[in-house]
Amino acid sequence: MTSVQPSTDPTSPAENGTPKITMTAAFEGIEGSYSHAVLEAYAARRGVTFIPLGCPSYRGVAHAVLAGRADVGLLPVDNAIAGTIREGYDTLAFTNRKTSVIFAVPNVPGATIEGLREIDSHPVVLAECGRFLATLPDVRSIPVPDTGVAARDAAASGDVTRGAIASAGAAARYGLVELASTIADHPDNFTRFLLFRAPNALGPAAEFEPADDFTNRKTSVIFAVPNVPGALGRCLSIFGAHDLNVSKLDSKSRLGAAEQYAFYADVDGDLRDERFADALRELRDVTSALHIIGCYDASTAPPRPRRAPAVVVDVAPAVVPKPAKISFPKAQRQGDEHVRSRVMVGNVAVGDGRFVIIGGPCSVESRDQILATADAVAAAGGVMLRGGAFKPRTSPYAFQGLGWEGVALLAEASRASGLPSVSEVMSIDQVERMAASVDLLQIGARNMQNFDLLKAVGKTERPILLKRGMAASIDELLSAAEYILSEGNPNVILCERGIRTFETATRNTLDLSAIPVLRERTHLPVLVDPSHGVGVRRWIAPLCRAAKAVGAHGLLLEVHPNPAEAKCDGDQALTFSDFAQIVKELNAIPSMT
Ligand code: PEP
Ligand code: MN
């Protein structure tokens, strides 16, 4: 269990002004919410940089951290007016003084408090401003997911009767005008937030280490006792007997265990302190459950909120289990759903809302074959031409591709048809020469974790089509993308091409559920290759429709002038007319942006 110490002067930036650590930080809401403002304030104080990752719920924040999508998460746990924020009480934190400010839509003359009929905000914030809201009897208070959403939607409505309670940052971000400030029921209103990381976190979050001195530390625990006289008293006297002060106590009935009661307690002291360890040992004998939430610096906890260093604490494994920590700082989608990368392949944009269809043979077999296919793909509305020249075949006796001759023929067909070309690069020594004449370099499923090859293509200027390995998890795919991105090549397109499962009816199992997951987790465009996914011609069309409907940014399809004669993957090759028919059908399905 470790936690963060504030820098000696919490207000000073890191040495030489450059933030030392970059971390992805999950928070509830959208940019502009109070949680987001708290993150920014903390980042400035600690000299760290946060890549914000907005989440739709408190659980979403915890999940983002535990699933490795974020290095740290921020949750509110306690408000001085509204009380314990139970849902957020999964960690412990730093104090953030905030001033609630009420805003209405700008640029519309005549917005006044008197004119308001609706005020949106987070439910806790509405509770904090209860007295002020009671002075506006004609105004309905509408709870919304977070204050950022309140501000954004009030602004977008253009309605002068609709206001929001949000931070000054949200007002500036969404262009709102201030109508009243300091409207919380008490001017010293503050919320404690908890910034937490997964236990055993690797990466930047692990660089926060606790100091050796135990002064000014707090530990938050949850314990349950039987619902009988004296049970709570026994627990509290154990803390007292070990000279440990309980500074907060909040009760909660245990769902499904009516005969028990649970309590959240903040106790002054550090877990590593012997007194604390002894107290916990004794506590275990008189409680029916005991979880340590976290241990953190509390030197500036209320009532001294102005010097408010943040802390990072572990989430106790007993409370939230299983934390595998992988981070994808470059591949990860950051906050806003609409921030997505657009990768240019020649003059074709991938990932910006237009659905791209790439067609071509599994392998280039002859000049006639690739030229005819290029014509057919272009005529049907395909936008890129694929064709393998170096083929990763299971058997060394199977057709291995035409090699450099194939690359040259593909380049000729690409020039003739005007379609940018796609071809697989199998080894580092092919990269440079391939990059000279192929527009989109493909890393095949079998090479997805060939890390040296990934690094090599990361050094080229060419966009990369990274296919998911047949036994690779989504995390592994994103980690592979990170290898390319971290070498400085930002132009990565992912491709789901089916994974190995117990199912043998299809060549692979096309994992279309990966598409919404990837759309949520990464800003990189994602294509689907149903050809290798199912391996059977007649099942490709329905999966093309499904892929588009589920949010893929395009398709990679194998097309051959005469599939029966194909030197490789003939069973899954579409004829020219199959391909044309699929492109036509897909026009009827709307693209997701
Ligand atoms: C290919 O697209 O030609 C190919 C070999 O696919 P995968 O790497 O997905 O098997
Ligand atoms: Mn193939």
Side-chain angles (χ1 to χ4, degrees):
M1 170 91 29
T2 54
S3 66
V4 174
Q5 287 299 305
S7 55
T8 339
D9 173 2
T11 56
S12 69
E15 281 142 37
N16 69 30
T18 343
K20 286 181 208 151
I21 298 176
T22 298
M23 284 185 287
T24 300
F27 65 99
E28 195 222 11
I30 61 172
E31 293 187 20
S33 67
Y34 274 130
S35 293
H36 181 241
V38 167
L39 274 180
E40 287 189 332
Y42 174 55
R45 272 200 298 275
R46 287 296 308 267
V48 296
T49 301
F50 284 133
I51 301 165
L53 176 68
C55 299
S57 63
Y58 290 179
R59 268 170 197 269
V61 172
H63 196 253
V65 174
L66 294 173
R69 280 179 282 126
D71 298 303
V72 292
L74 182 84
L75 287 173
V77 292
D78 195 13
N79 177 262
I81 298 171
T84 298
I85 303 167
R86 296 249 169 87
E87 215 186 326
Y89 215 93
D90 280 337
T91 20
L92 207 216
F94 69 103
T95 304
N96 172 57
R97 184 192 274 274
K98 70 183 183 198
T99 310
S100 297
V101 179
I102 184 164
F103 295 99
V105 183
N107 307 331
V108 185
T112 60
I113 289 194
E114 294 69 37
L116 289 176
R117 291 293 167 269
E118 175 183 321
I119 293 179
D120 299 358
S121 200
H122 190 283
V124 173
V125 176
L126 292 172
E128 291 165 29
C129 304
R131 280 193 216 146
F132 170 81
L133 291 170
T135 66
L136 305 173
D138 295 334
V139 174
R140 282 187 314 143
S141 301
I142 310 284
V144 296
D146 69 85
T147 53
V149 165
R152 182 194 67 191
D153 292 356
S157 74
D159 178 355
V160 283
T161 68
R162 186 164 164 191
I165 301 178
S167 68
R173 181 179 293 267
Y174 297 110
L176 295 172
V177 72
E178 180 178 325
L179 292 183
S181 64
T182 323
I183 58 170
D185 287 0
H186 193 282
D188 281 343
N189 182 34
F190 60 83
T191 301
R192 287 193 309 147
F193 284 81
L194 208 108
L195 189 68
F196 65 99
R197 69 182 184 212
N200 313 321
L202 302 174
E207 292 178 30
F208 282 113
E209 283 306 327
D212 288 336
D213 110 54
F214 299 165
T215 50
N216 286 322
R217 299 198 45 93
K218 265 188 205 288
T219 299
S220 289
V221 300
I222 300 179
F223 59 88
V225 291
N227 200 2
V228 296
L232 174 62
R234 271 192 291 279
C235 296
L236 294 181
S237 58
I238 290 175
F239 286 120
H242 289 88
D243 204 21
L244 295 167
N245 179 50
V246 176
S247 56
K248 174 189 166 80
L249 188 66
D250 201 74
S251 66
K252 178 185 193 276
S253 44
R254 289 192 89 193
L255 288 177
E259 70 291 353
Q260 292 186 8
Y261 242 78
F263 294 88
Y264 304 110
D266 288 354
V267 185
D268 295 349
D270 190 292
L271 274 180
R272 297 166 296 170
D273 184 333
E274 244 171 59
R275 282 176 311 160
F276 217 108
D278 290 346
L280 287 181
R281 251 191 306 277
E282 288 174 35
L283 212 55
R284 282 193 204 280
D285 294 338
V286 296
T287 53
S288 42
L290 174 63
H291 297 312
I292 313 301
I293 297 173
C295 182
Y296 46 90
D297 186 276
S299 53
T300 54
R304 289 179 289 145
R306 224 163 290 121
R307 282 192 63 239
V311 292
V312 170
V313 298
D314 282 343
V315 173
V319 179
V320 193
K322 196 186 156 249
K325 186 68 198 77
I326 306 173
S327 75
F328 318 107
K330 295 198 158 57
Q332 182 162 292
R333 188 166 71 78
Q334 295 163 13
D336 190 341
E337 158 71 17
H338 302 291
V339 179
R340 296 198 166 277
S341 285
R342 186 172 77 153
V343 175
M344 292 304 297
V345 183
N347 56 359
V348 176
V350 182
D352 76 341
R354 205 176 128 212
F355 191 74
V356 297
I357 302 175
I358 304 172
C362 180
S363 58
V364 179
E365 295 169 3
S366 68
R367 186 164 182 271
D368 286 351
Q369 177 240 24
I370 193 68
L371 286 173
T373 310
D375 270 354
V377 167
V383 296
M384 274 185 243
L385 177 67
R386 63 154 288 153
F390 296 96
K391 294 303 301 176
R393 303 306 301 278
T394 304
S395 163
Y397 309 115
F399 175 59
Q400 303 286 307
L402 296 184
W404 293 115
E405 188 196 343
V407 174
L409 293 173
L410 180 70
E412 185 188 345
S414 163
R415 277 193 305 277
S417 60
L419 302 175
S421 59
V422 189
S423 197
E424 177 165 353
V425 53
M426 277 178 52
S427 65
I428 298 175
D429 56 33
Q430 292 164 359
V431 171
E432 206 182 338
R433 189 161 160 200
M434 203 76 161
S437 53
V438 173
D439 297 295
L440 178 59
L441 298 180
Q442 176 171 322
I443 298 292
R446 291 156 192 81
N447 268 322
M448 191 205 82
Q449 287 191 314
N450 183 337
F451 300 119
D452 287 345
L453 181 60
L454 296 175
K455 286 187 205 162
V457 297
K459 293 191 174 79
T460 70
E461 307 279 344
R462 287 291 189 199
I464 308 301
L465 179 63
L466 177 64
K467 299 191 84 173
R468 178 178 178 182
M470 61 187 83
S473 67
I474 291 172
D475 273 356
E476 287 163 342
L477 172 62
L478 290 173
S479 292
E482 203 69 32
Y483 265 92
I484 302 171
L485 298 169
S486 62
E487 287 297 329
N489 185 344
N491 298 310
V492 177
I493 302 169
L494 305 175
C495 181
E496 163 58 43
R497 48 77 71 201
I499 51 175
R500 279 279 166 85
T501 66
F502 55 82
E503 183 55 77
T504 52
T506 46
R507 178 174 175 179
N508 289 290
T509 297
L510 188 64
D511 183 13
L512 288 181
S513 53
I515 307 307
V517 175
L518 286 165
R519 285 183 63 104
E520 191 180 294
R521 297 186 54 181
T522 178
H523 56 87
L524 300 172
V526 189
L527 304 184
V528 169
D529 171 356
S531 305
H532 292 90
V534 285
V536 177
R537 184 176 313 113
R538 66 181 179 284
W539 296 327
I540 291 171
L543 287 163
C544 291
R545 295 194 291 270
K548 187 169 184 189
V550 85
H553 298 99
L555 294 168
L556 182 68
L557 292 170
E558 288 191 345
V559 188
H560 195 282
N562 183 0
E565 300 290 336
K567 293 198 170 152
C568 123
D569 286 352
D571 291 347
Q572 67 193 36
L574 300 167
T575 63
F576 293 168
S577 70
D578 291 330
F579 181 77
Q581 179 65 24
I582 286 174
V583 177
K584 207 161 119 205
E585 279 174 14
L586 286 169
N587 287 333
I589 299 174
S591 290
M592 279 168 68
T593 47

